[in-house]
Amino acid sequence: MGKAEIVVISLAVLAAFFFPKRLLQFKGRSPNTYPSTGEILRFDAAQVAKLLPQDAKIEILVNGYVWTEGPLWVSHEDAGFLAFSDPVMNIISAWEPRKGLRVLLDKSGCQHDGCLSFREPGSNGLALNAEGELTICKHGERCIAVLHKNGTQSVLVNNYNSKRLNTPNDLVYRSNGDLYFTDPPYGFKEIEDSPLKEQPHNGVYLLRKGEVDPILVIPDQSKPNGVALSLRESKLYVANSDPDAPYLYSYDLNADGTVQGGPKVLFNMSDYVARGWAGLPDGLKVDAYDNIWLTGPGGVYILTAEGTLIAALRMEFAVANVAWGYDWNDDEDHWDTYLYLTASSHLCRLRVLSNILPPYVPKLKAMEAAKMAEQNSQAHDSEL
């Protein structure tokens, strides 16, 4: 074991050991009470007016992690929480409105003695299956697993062609329950040169619901990372975290979910990489207008489905991924809608307009009840 390896291992161990002491959680119960960071650049004012309130700010909720990843809103009862990973600290945390921060799952990506041979042994991307169970990309276990509601876990997939996966990174479900996931080697200490690497490629896979053998749908992308589907599930978007090819790729999909033809470079981030801005193309989400919210060098880029840049969230630290979610507004007595950002050592958020939430984001029961009450009130007023 060389000195560099000892340093990497020591950082991971120390980060996990000092977790309760090192986190700084900012307190806030209403808009604009959290510290803000960065700036919002609006290139198409008319388009952006449909997405963001004029006074929107990027807020910092928590600081002190090593590297935050995989944000996901999880609804329960009339509220919910924001789950997110730290692959280095090997935990999944939960930030809940009005309650704050807690550890949701310890040893989230690796529970065996070989964890120390990984640069990032923990979990990364998170998603919910149709049953509302947490689906986890596990670097150290080199698999994708489901956390069942009784607390047990089961492995969905851990190999392709009888060879172990690399370190599964991000994932997205189709509406029929099929699962796309990316499998780069970022969790390994030596990354591409790791002796643990068995796959000859960094693949993008399709795992059909109920099956155990994945289909390799994209074998030749250099460094696949974040993955998302267009609203109609006719296109697959894959971010490429390669400084020599920092692209967002778009792939047309057949009805059965397989890829049709080659990739289209939807957005090229080479200019931003050349400026030395922190980060590379990473996580992404789609909104109700089919716009793409893509993390990359210098922050988050908001693109139309055609790849036109309409706005950006300019930030000084790297942003890994984003997710839609909520928070309670005490001042106005209602739920606000947010884009949550896992950004370097931070958990951040940006208030957005509620109409941009795509259909797959679960609505809170309290929001549905309020909408119904408003509709009933309007009907009553019209009768009068």
Side-chain angles (χ1 to χ4, degrees):
M1 181 181 295
K3 291 183 179 179
E5 295 173 319
I6 295 173
V7 170
V8 171
I9 292 172
S10 298
L11 286 175
V13 173
L14 287 173
F17 182 78
F18 287 111
F19 168 68
K21 301 177 182 179
R22 66 194 301 275
L23 292 178
L24 175 60
Q25 182 176 191
F26 299 102
K27 300 295 182 180
R29 286 293 182 86
S30 60
N32 304 318
T33 59
Y34 292 96
S36 61
T37 184
E39 62 177 325
I40 301 171
L41 307 177
R42 303 167 189 250
F43 306 120
D44 186 328
Q47 291 269 34
V48 179
K50 302 176 184 178
L51 311 177
L52 302 177
Q54 193 60 39
D55 61 348
K57 295 181 180 180
I58 306 167
E59 300 174 310
I60 301 175
L61 304 178
V62 180
N63 186 20
Y65 284 86
V66 179
W67 179 249
T68 56
E69 264 284 9
L72 172 72
W73 182 265
V74 181
S75 290
H76 65 82
E77 299 300 330
D78 61 345
F81 58 88
L82 194 283
F84 60 100
S85 299
D86 188 319
V88 180
M89 295 171 68
N90 197 15
I91 57 171
I92 295 174
S93 298
W95 184 88
E96 187 166 357
R98 296 179 144 190
K99 294 183 180 180
L101 194 67
R102 60 187 168 92
V103 175
L104 185 66
L105 183 65
D106 193 18
K107 298 182 179 179
S108 60
C110 189
Q111 301 185 44
H112 56 71
D113 294 339
C115 296
L116 296 183
S117 62
F118 286 80
R119 169 176 166 264
E120 295 180 347
S123 58
N124 197 313
L126 307 174
L128 293 176
N129 64 15
E131 289 72 39
E133 298 170 318
L134 194 63
T135 309
I136 307 170
C137 288
K138 292 172 169 273
H139 282 184
E141 304 288 345
R142 302 170 67 178
C143 71
I144 295 178
V146 173
L147 175 62
H148 301 291
K149 294 182 179 180
N150 64 5
T152 62
Q153 297 187 39
S154 60
V155 173
L156 281 182
V157 58
N158 62 10
N159 72 87
Y160 171 72
N161 276 351
S162 301
K163 295 181 179 181
R164 295 293 305 274
L165 296 175
N166 297 322
T167 53
N169 187 278
D170 200 13
L171 69 173
V172 62
Y173 277 104
R174 295 179 77 198
S175 56
N176 68 353
D178 290 352
L179 181 70
Y180 292 100
F181 67 94
T182 59
D183 186 40
Y186 306 142
F188 297 140
K189 279 194 301 182
E190 299 88 351
I191 310 180
E192 292 284 0
D193 298 323
S194 173
L196 298 175
K197 193 176 192 301
E198 299 179 25
Q199 296 294 341
H201 45 252
N202 301 323
V204 181
Y205 297 89
L206 170 62
L207 181 68
R208 299 205 183 281
K209 184 177 181 180
E211 298 187 5
V212 296
D213 295 320
I215 302 167
L216 179 63
V217 292
I218 304 172
D220 52 1
Q221 193 169 318
S222 59
K223 295 185 184 300
N225 198 323
V227 62
L229 286 162
S230 62
L231 281 183
R232 295 185 178 180
E233 301 185 347
S234 60
K235 296 183 184 297
L236 183 71
Y237 302 124
V238 185
N240 200 50
S241 295
D242 185 342
D244 296 321
Y247 307 142
L248 173 63
Y249 289 113
S250 173
Y251 297 86
D252 291 331
L253 295 177
N254 296 309
D256 66 356
T258 55
V259 169
Q260 178 183 12
K264 173 186 176 182
V265 176
L266 196 64
F267 195 63
N268 185 342
M269 295 187 140
S270 297
D271 288 347
Y272 309 122
V273 172
R275 296 177 193 181
W277 291 352
L280 287 166
D282 202 330
L284 63 154
K285 294 295 184 292
V286 172
D287 67 24
Y289 295 103
D290 233 2
N291 297 315
I292 304 159
W293 300 60
L294 170 68
T295 67
V300 180
Y301 297 80
I302 306 172
L303 316 169
T304 66
E306 295 72 37
T308 301
L309 180 64
I310 60 175
L313 312 180
R314 179 74 179 94
M315 300 174 70
E316 294 183 359
F317 36 81
V319 183
N321 212 333
V322 293
W324 308 112
Y326 307 94
D327 192 9
W328 179 256
N329 185 327
D330 275 336
D331 290 347
E332 300 181 18
D333 199 33
H334 65 74
W335 288 94
D336 281 331
T337 309
Y338 285 89
L339 179 78
Y340 285 90
L341 305 86
T342 47
S344 189
S345 62
H346 308 77
L347 174 65
C348 303
R349 70 177 186 184
L350 170 76
R351 190 158 60 93
V352 299
L353 299 179
S354 60
N355 57 287
I356 76 169
L357 286 189
Y360 63 81
V361 178
K363 301 296 187 294
L364 300 181
K365 292 180 181 179
M367 296 182 73
E368 294 294 331
K371 183 177 180 180
M372 186 175 294
E374 180 181 359
Q375 291 172 343
N376 291 339
S377 176
Q378 291 173 349
H380 176 72
D381 291 343
S382 64
E383 292 173 359
L384 296 177

